[in-house]
Amino acid sequence: MTLSLLIAMVPSLAYAGGIVFERTASDLGKRRASGTIEETFAFRITGNQPVQIVDLVPSCGCVVPTLERRTYQPGETGEIRFGIHTTSQKSGPKDYKLGIAVRDPAPRTHVLTVSVELFSEITIEPSNLLIYLRGKQPLRQAIRIRDHRPEVLRVTDVVSSSPRITTKKDRGSSGTNVRQVNVTIDAAAFAIGRHEERIEIRTDDPDYPLIDVPVTVVRMPRVSAFPDKIWLYAHSKDHAKRQVLLRDERGEPVRIVHVESSIPGAQLDWSKEKAPLPSVMVGLDPNMINVDAEPQVSITVAEPIEATIVVPVGFR
């Protein structure tokens, strides 16, 4: 669900109790698009009911929110750190938003906004790497830094957060305004799942001393669930039904032998015969879900391999 749809579907914020922010908007003025800009929004819990923050919905992938915990008691205080990854973003005025879906105990949403005018003399192509792995052969990717100024920056060092990702500076041709970093992904070293890594490109330029490039590596399992996460509406008070399909990457039939959930009262039904796309029907009561307990549905298959696929449950 998009942030705009979340805002439209949740009741008005005119409410005396619950979570109260000291401010919901911040203007950071003019900033260079280099690294990460961070703002902090403090809040307190009023009234006599605990508050549960069920989801944080950023307006784009460059917004990275951080929250210490999800449940707060009356009288407690907390803060949400609002990080904005600005590397290689286009120059100009920007409004970044973060939707916060809460229960206090009624479902509501709040929206935090950070305004900033970005400017940049360089571009990074690509500004982040998303790599999907299936085989075990090494994968290679180039990161290019294009400097639009007369004096072109120089790359002094490149550091990877993982030994499974190696990097090398490319000397390049003299007189060019492009600097290149060659990246090699050791595919065989990555286990099944999603891996978040980073590449730090250090330069001799005081305005761009550190260029941070996020790297997401996804190793697909033999049998996958689609969707890979069950989403529920934070404002809903009714039971929700969701369908999950399983697929073998080699196209062989899949046989489900057991399904269970960590959520009380979950209604589960699944295909009993082998099929290319067997399904699981999941019925859930949103009011029975504790987001602090990492709610999930576990699907066990016996063919074509023995495996358990875990599908997490979240709110939008």
Side-chain angles (χ1 to χ4, degrees):
M1 178 180 291
T2 63
L3 175 58
S4 58
L5 184 56
L6 172 69
I7 296 169
M9 297 179 70
V10 180
S12 166
L13 299 181
Y15 179 62
I19 185 170
V20 177
F21 286 88
E22 292 183 0
R23 59 195 172 102
T24 58
S26 175
D27 189 339
L28 300 180
K30 197 170 184 178
R31 297 289 185 93
R32 177 174 275 108
S34 174
T36 299
I37 298 173
E38 187 171 281
E39 182 64 293
T40 300
F41 292 89
F43 62 83
R44 68 183 186 279
I45 307 303
T46 64
N48 57 6
Q49 296 286 337
V51 170
Q52 190 175 48
I53 299 175
V54 298
D55 201 15
L56 301 176
V57 185
S59 59
C60 65
C62 56
V63 174
V64 183
T66 304
L67 179 66
E68 182 182 32
R69 52 196 167 96
R70 292 291 184 124
T71 302
Y72 291 82
Q73 300 300 320
E76 289 188 327
T77 60
E79 63 180 26
I80 293 177
R81 291 191 294 276
F82 193 127
I84 305 169
H85 182 68
T86 64
T87 302
S88 195
Q89 290 199 43
K90 293 181 179 180
S91 299
K94 312 284 184 183
D95 286 329
Y96 300 96
K97 296 181 183 296
L98 177 66
I100 306 164
V102 305
R103 285 181 181 160
D104 58 5
R108 311 176 189 282
T109 191
H110 296 255
V111 179
L112 305 179
T113 303
V114 174
S115 300
V116 61
E117 183 177 354
L118 295 178
F119 69 94
S120 179
E121 300 95 345
I122 66 171
T123 55
I124 297 91
E125 305 165 346
S127 59
N128 59 79
L129 297 179
L130 176 58
I131 308 293
Y132 285 94
L133 302 178
R134 292 192 181 276
K136 295 188 177 181
Q137 294 299 316
L139 298 181
R140 293 176 175 82
Q141 173 73 49
I143 299 173
R144 295 179 177 87
I145 305 168
R146 190 177 303 275
D147 195 334
H148 304 285
R149 301 167 297 179
E151 295 293 329
V152 180
L153 59 74
R154 183 173 63 90
V155 175
T156 59
D157 194 16
V158 184
V159 178
S160 168
S161 62
S162 170
R164 299 168 294 182
I165 301 175
T166 56
T167 59
K168 184 179 180 181
K169 294 184 294 180
D170 191 322
R171 292 184 179 180
S173 304
S174 60
T176 181
N177 68 334
V178 177
R179 300 292 181 257
Q180 180 169 307
V181 173
N182 297 318
V183 180
T184 301
I185 310 292
D186 184 2
F190 282 90
I192 291 173
R194 186 181 184 94
H195 308 268
E196 301 292 348
E197 305 292 348
R198 311 195 81 79
I199 293 173
E200 292 183 354
I201 303 174
R202 298 169 183 172
T203 82
D204 64 349
D205 192 305
D207 292 329
Y208 301 94
L210 179 64
I211 299 171
D212 187 22
V213 180
V215 181
T216 301
V217 180
V218 181
R219 163 69 72 180
M220 302 300 292
R222 170 71 187 272
V223 178
S224 302
F226 298 90
D228 58 5
K229 187 169 185 176
I230 297 173
W231 291 105
L232 302 177
Y233 298 139
H235 68 282
S236 176
K237 297 182 179 180
D238 300 324
H239 280 74
K241 287 189 176 181
R242 297 290 185 269
Q243 183 182 51
V244 178
L245 300 177
L246 299 187
R247 185 182 70 182
D248 173 52
E249 68 169 3
R250 300 179 187 176
E252 296 184 20
V254 178
R255 182 164 67 91
I256 302 172
V257 293
H258 183 67
V259 181
E260 62 182 34
S261 175
S262 62
I263 302 168
Q267 300 172 2
L268 306 169
D269 189 23
W270 62 92
S271 304
K272 303 302 190 292
E273 303 295 332
K274 267 195 311 186
L277 288 172
S279 64
V280 177
M281 292 300 300
V282 182
L284 300 172
D285 180 356
N287 298 295
M288 296 295 293
I289 298 177
N290 179 4
V291 293
D292 292 326
E294 298 183 355
Q296 62 188 29
V297 174
S298 300
I299 306 170
T300 302
V301 302
E303 297 181 55
I305 61 171
E306 294 183 355
T308 298
I309 299 93
V310 177
V311 183
V313 178
F315 282 96
R316 284 296 192 216

